[in-house]
Amino acid sequence: MAEVKKRSRLKNARGWLFVLPGLLFHIFAVAIPAVLSLYLPFTEWNGLSMPTFNGLDNFKQLFHDSIVGAAFLNNIKWALFWVTVPTLFAFFLAYLLNKIKRGQTVYQSIYFSTSIITVTVAGQIWLWLYNPFSGMNFYLDKAGVGFIDIPGLTIPSLSIFFVLIADMWKGFGGNVVWLLAAMTQNDKSLEEAAKIDGAGRFRIIWNIILPQLRPTLVIVTMLTVLNSFGAFEMVYVMTGGGPAHATETLSTYYYKLSTTGRQAGYGSMVALLQTFIAVVLIAVYGYLRKKKGWDV
Amino acid sequence: MNHRFPKLLTVLALASVFALSACSSSSKDGKANGDANGQEAEESFTLKVPDAEIWGEESSALQTMYDAYEDKHPNIKLEQVTMKDDQTLAAALVSGEATDLMLMDPSAAKERYKSNYLAPLDAYYSKYGWDATMYKWAKNAYVEDDKAIGIPWNYEGLILMYNESMFKDNGWTIPTDYDELMALVPKIKAKGIMPFAWGSSDNPGVDDWWVTSIVNGVLGPDGTKQLFSGDTKWTDPSIVEAIQRYSDFWNAGYVTDKKSYAISQDDSMQLFLTGKAAMRLDGTWSLAADNEPDFDIDFAQFPSWKNDGTPVIPLGVGGGLVINAQSEHKDAVAELLNEFFSPEVVKTMAQHGIPEPIETDYGAMDLKPNVSKALDMINDAAKEGKSGYVAWSYGPPRVVQVLESDFPSVYLKKTTVEAWLADLQQKKEQDVAENRIFDLANY
């Protein structure tokens, strides 16, 4: 009996040995920084010297900082855009792809190809296209249709949408793949039955396809919204949050505060706000999943 | 009895011995080697230094310096490390992974010296006599708490670059003050040419050059000193008026057709080089570039932003070399730094339009005509008391951070000039309270 226990303990110890490297990495690279990130927002810290506790000063500053408000609004615009235009576009393309019998993989690869381009390169491509003196407008003018003027990044209030178009170009292929994969799992007999009963194409989409896709759409939408509140790369590459914070997001703002701004303490407070938003969104998703049965 | 345990211990002990011996033969062993003549050679180790290609041609003098040092010290290996930006360097410093020798701008160097990341260099200044020919104002950019903390890399000024052929063909003359500038720019615009090419989408920090040129032109060298470190306030009516003038100037379409924030600095240079723009605000560092447009380029002092003012060339240091306080080989790094003053390195720096801030005979060097002319222009301005101060070398850190990130808020009218300058003044006062300003005595 004792021998069995000893073997079992040894087996457990071996298990821990295998887990240990990963566990230590997680403790030092994730857990400790995560706990520290709950303390840093309440400090004055330039990112170099030791942080000094300053109570709720950063919290108060957060509510007086107009840039935080503008950045938050841009994150909302980002989320609204991504859950509508690219998602509908991806759904439409996935629906069409699902209908074709030949060359589906080729089209899928083409749509997905932009997703494998790095953000830096994608951003630079769109910067060239948007260049008001040598980009799309220049060639439209050469083609004799100079009356079509694409503002690109020249109108600050519209800049965020043109950055979004670049981001959509880079990222919508992923949604197409997700939705297409879900559509191929749909029960085709339901569509056939609806057709025999005389249902039109729109009714089939609305009453047969969409309800079956709901779990995928819920998770795609959830991830899209969460990603939207972390929007950083494309904005940083294309505009750096400018001009005059017109394209600022919470992520670009706290990055700048923490690095060039040397206000890592306050930057952490802005990051904490972003985490709080993510927690609220996840809680809403949890509620919908539990109470409304929006299971995935 | 489990017999495997002692075996395991033996294996671990042996592995440790091998690991330790492997470490000892690596970069930080400090072992002494005898040379062919039986003399005791110097220690063998590796120094981590900045990548000589970090700024392309502009930083090629580093390679000249490294080569000269390695020739004299064959046992010391220089490992070039790329720190792609200051954020990467800051992270490396905090984690103890920064290079032994570092490139750093003055304000960052001061912050980091206060946090004990940089070594004081007074002893090395005395030992090698680095400041014998160094301009005092340049050395002072790297003085904190009366301690020398770095070596200024170069000096640089802001100038007006213009299309000489275009000016000749149209009979235009170079403006020297605001009135002349305002008389000229409508004529240029009427020809369908942009008066100024400018771009800041890739680096909003360059807008700081405009503010620097404007305040130097309006206040003069002494007034600028007072604005950065003395009693003159950013809300001074002359500054309010000058910044408002720039906002009106920009909104009149004289700067990249009101699209400067939508294109990069390189794009704006292309506008200038293709003859679509007549002028550029630029730095002396760009004069060595091999641009070959089909017209002549010339440069002059940037016009004063005062109605009848005289031009001032704002000068500053572009960066500096500092020693990591955690370096185990500070003496060796100092000796490497000493190569920075060797004739070959001084010449390489000057040839790239970024002269070292030391008194030397540039006339004896084979410099490009543009570079020679710029050096003469700077020297003449300095002699006449017409050289000013760039904000990125001498401005209060918090103020500079706003100048380098938020100037578009003014000309895009997201705020009023008065409110924006009041915010700058508040930030200056914070820096004064925390003793983070450039000491008036050190100008």
Side-chain angles (χ1 to χ4, degrees):
Chain A
M1 190 64 190
E3 186 65 23
V4 173
K5 271 190 180 175
K6 201 177 170 186
R7 265 189 211 162
S8 167
R9 245 184 264 140
L10 203 67
K11 212 174 172 183
N12 270 341
R14 245 185 239 162
W16 276 107
L17 269 177
F18 279 112
V19 170
L20 201 62
L23 185 69
L24 285 174
F25 179 79
H26 188 83
I27 288 171
F28 287 104
V30 180
I32 292 175
V35 172
L36 272 177
S37 69
L38 293 175
Y39 168 67
L40 291 175
F42 303 95
T43 64
E44 188 177 352
W45 184 41
N46 63 8
L48 280 174
S49 50
M50 287 303 288
T52 50
F53 184 73
N54 69 350
L56 293 175
D57 287 0
N58 292 338
F59 190 68
K60 288 177 200 158
Q61 191 182 342
L62 192 71
F63 288 95
H64 290 102
D65 189 344
S66 62
I67 301 170
V68 169
F72 181 63
L73 201 63
N74 279 337
N75 278 117
I76 289 179
K77 286 178 192 169
W78 197 276
L80 287 176
F81 180 88
W82 258 104
V83 295
T84 53
V85 181
T87 308
L88 284 172
F89 189 55
F91 174 80
F92 179 68
L93 285 176
Y95 177 76
L96 291 180
L97 280 179
N98 196 34
K99 293 288 168 200
I100 59 169
K101 299 275 182 286
R102 299 176 78 186
Q104 198 189 69
T105 315
V106 175
Y107 281 108
Q108 233 176 302
S109 306
I110 291 170
Y111 294 141
F112 194 69
S113 62
T114 55
S115 301
I116 57 169
I117 298 174
T118 60
V119 183
T120 321
V121 174
Q124 192 56 52
I125 290 170
W126 282 90
L127 280 174
W128 285 330
L129 291 172
Y130 287 152
N131 187 312
F133 305 104
S134 58
M136 285 187 284
N137 285 342
F138 175 77
Y139 290 102
L140 286 172
D141 199 32
K142 287 247 171 196
V145 285
F147 56 89
I148 304 173
D149 186 34
I150 297 164
L153 304 175
T154 59
I155 302 176
S157 55
L158 296 179
S159 298
I160 188 82
F161 296 107
F162 284 93
V163 177
L164 268 164
I165 288 170
D167 201 47
M168 175 180 129
W169 176 81
K170 191 199 162 336
F172 84 96
N175 284 1
V176 175
V177 173
W178 274 74
L179 290 171
L180 182 63
M183 272 183 202
T184 53
Q185 302 299 311
N186 279 359
D187 185 351
K188 297 280 188 276
S189 65
L190 291 175
E191 281 182 54
E192 296 299 325
K195 254 186 217 168
I196 291 166
D197 286 347
R201 190 169 288 174
F202 179 75
R203 187 152 290 282
I204 290 173
I205 291 174
W206 189 256
N207 290 105
I208 309 290
I209 298 176
L210 276 178
Q212 292 184 84
L213 286 184
R214 196 179 63 191
T216 309
L217 280 173
V218 168
I219 197 76
V220 165
T221 309
M222 183 65 202
L223 290 174
T224 301
V225 173
L226 279 175
N227 284 337
S228 299
F229 277 92
F232 176 80
E233 295 98 331
M234 193 59 86
V235 179
Y236 194 74
V237 167
M238 290 189 71
T239 64
H245 307 291
T247 56
E248 201 78 78
T249 62
L250 289 172
S251 302
T252 56
Y253 188 45
Y254 72 66
Y255 175 78
K256 283 189 274 185
L257 282 170
S258 307
T259 53
T260 50
R262 292 170 197 160
Q263 297 178 65
Y266 179 55
S268 303
M269 179 55 83
V270 180
L272 190 65
L273 169 73
Q274 193 190 47
T275 310
F276 176 74
I277 293 166
V279 169
V280 169
L281 288 171
I282 290 166
V284 169
Y285 168 65
Y287 170 81
L288 291 173
R289 189 180 166 192
K290 198 173 174 186
K291 299 281 179 184
K292 303 281 182 184
W294 286 16
D295 212 339
V296 291
Chain B
M1 183 68 191
N2 190 345
H3 295 289
R4 278 186 297 180
F5 187 66
K7 280 183 189 169
L8 188 69
L9 268 182
T10 314
V11 170
L12 278 174
L14 280 171
S16 306
V17 168
F18 280 124
L20 285 171
S21 59
C23 285
S24 67
S25 62
S26 73
S27 65
K28 290 178 179 175
D29 63 347
K31 75 179 178 187
N33 296 332
D35 66 11
N37 301 324
Q39 290 173 322
E40 193 70 12
E42 68 185 347
E43 281 184 311
S44 167
F45 52 82
T46 299
L47 288 181
K48 287 185 180 176
V49 294
D51 181 1
E53 289 182 9
I54 188 79
W55 298 327
E57 282 284 297
E58 271 188 45
S59 53
S60 57
L62 281 176
Q63 192 58 57
T64 313
M65 181 172 124
Y66 297 158
D67 291 344
Y69 181 78
E70 282 185 316
D71 281 349
K72 289 178 192 164
H73 305 275
N75 283 339
I76 300 173
K77 198 179 158 220
L78 299 181
E79 182 190 339
Q80 297 190 32
V81 179
T82 308
M83 295 279 169
K84 68 181 174 64
D85 53 30
D86 193 60
Q87 285 93 65
T88 314
L89 180 57
L93 266 176
V94 174
S95 60
E97 291 298 318
T99 47
D100 296 280
L101 178 69
M102 295 176 285
L103 277 165
M104 209 173 276
D105 72 52
S107 61
K110 286 173 182 186
E111 294 274 337
R112 287 160 192 171
Y113 175 74
K114 282 180 181 173
S115 301
N116 301 318
Y117 287 110
L118 305 188
L121 305 185
D122 293 292
Y124 301 122
Y125 263 91
S126 305
K127 180 178 175 186
Y128 295 107
W130 290 334
D131 48 1
T133 55
M134 189 184 288
Y135 295 131
K136 191 168 173 284
W137 56 266
K139 182 191 172 186
N140 285 344
Y142 284 88
V143 169
E144 180 67 20
D145 294 335
D146 292 330
K147 303 264 185 231
I149 58 169
I151 282 182
W153 164 258
N154 72 315
Y155 68 100
E156 55 198 21
L158 289 171
I159 48 157
L160 177 79
M161 185 184 274
Y162 66 96
N163 182 328
E164 192 185 15
S165 309
M166 187 189 285
F167 270 66
K168 265 186 192 163
D169 293 346
N170 290 284
W172 298 330
T173 51
I174 305 305
T176 56
D177 59 37
Y178 183 74
D179 286 344
E180 289 179 14
L181 180 71
M182 290 312 287
L184 173 67
V185 286
K187 291 180 198 165
I188 298 175
K189 205 161 190 294
K191 291 253 176 192
I193 299 164
M194 283 174 228
F196 278 92
W198 187 248
S200 60
S201 69
D202 57 333
N203 179 12
V206 293
D207 272 339
D208 176 17
W209 305 359
W210 281 98
V211 183
T212 286
S213 298
I214 291 168
V215 299
N216 273 276
V218 168
L219 300 175
D222 287 335
T224 305
K225 245 192 250 184
Q226 290 297 327
L227 178 71
F228 290 162
S229 303
D231 295 333
T232 305
K233 293 186 171 169
W234 281 89
T235 48
D236 187 278
S238 60
I239 301 295
V240 175
E241 189 190 358
I243 298 295
Q244 185 62 57
R245 276 180 174 178
Y246 179 76
S247 177
D248 297 341
F249 189 81
W250 190 91
N251 279 290
Y254 297 142
V255 183
T256 324
D257 260 349
K258 296 169 72 173
K259 290 167 185 162
S260 58
Y261 52 77
I263 63 168
S264 66
Q265 272 283 297
D266 282 349
D267 293 336
S268 74
M269 191 63 176
Q270 282 309 309
L271 286 177
F272 177 74
L273 294 174
T274 50
K276 289 176 183 162
M279 297 178 278
R280 263 179 68 76
L281 169 60
D282 216 324
T284 45
W285 56 86
S286 66
L287 295 172
D290 291 318
N291 298 313
E292 288 175 358
D294 52 7
F295 57 83
D296 294 328
I297 296 177
D298 202 358
F299 52 91
Q301 298 177 9
F302 193 78
S304 167
W305 215 247
K306 230 173 164 178
N307 291 72
D308 55 354
T310 50
V312 169
I313 301 183
L315 293 181
V317 293
L321 291 158
V322 297
I323 298 180
N324 189 340
Q326 293 166 5
S327 170
E328 291 172 18
H329 306 288
K330 293 188 192 69
D331 291 347
V333 184
E335 198 154 341
L336 168 63
L337 267 180
N338 195 41
E339 292 295 337
F340 185 63
F341 300 95
S342 68
E344 263 313 295
V345 178
V346 171
K347 187 178 168 187
T348 311
M349 290 286 285
Q351 281 173 334
H352 289 104
I354 45 171
E356 290 184 23
I358 54 173
E359 288 167 28
T360 189
D361 180 14
Y362 288 111
M365 295 176 195
D366 180 26
L367 303 182
K368 289 180 181 173
N370 271 354
V371 175
S372 286
K373 189 179 169 186
L375 291 177
D376 290 343
M377 196 167 81
I378 288 174
N379 287 337
D380 291 346
K383 277 176 200 159
E384 293 165 20
K386 296 284 167 50
S387 63
Y389 306 96
V390 296
W392 63 86
S393 291
Y394 302 98
R398 279 191 175 87
V399 171
V400 172
Q401 201 257 319
V402 177
L403 296 183
E404 291 183 347
S405 63
D406 200 36
F407 193 41
S409 292
V410 175
Y411 53 79
L412 290 173
K413 300 181 180 175
K414 300 286 175 198
T415 181
T416 61
V417 170
E418 290 82 1
W420 191 73
L421 289 171
D423 180 51
L424 285 192
Q425 179 57 28
Q426 197 187 4
K427 289 193 160 51
K428 177 184 169 183
E429 284 163 14
Q430 273 179 284
D431 282 335
V432 170
E434 291 172 18
N435 195 24
R436 294 173 78 198
I437 56 162
F438 193 82
D439 195 343
L440 264 175
N442 278 340
Y443 276 89

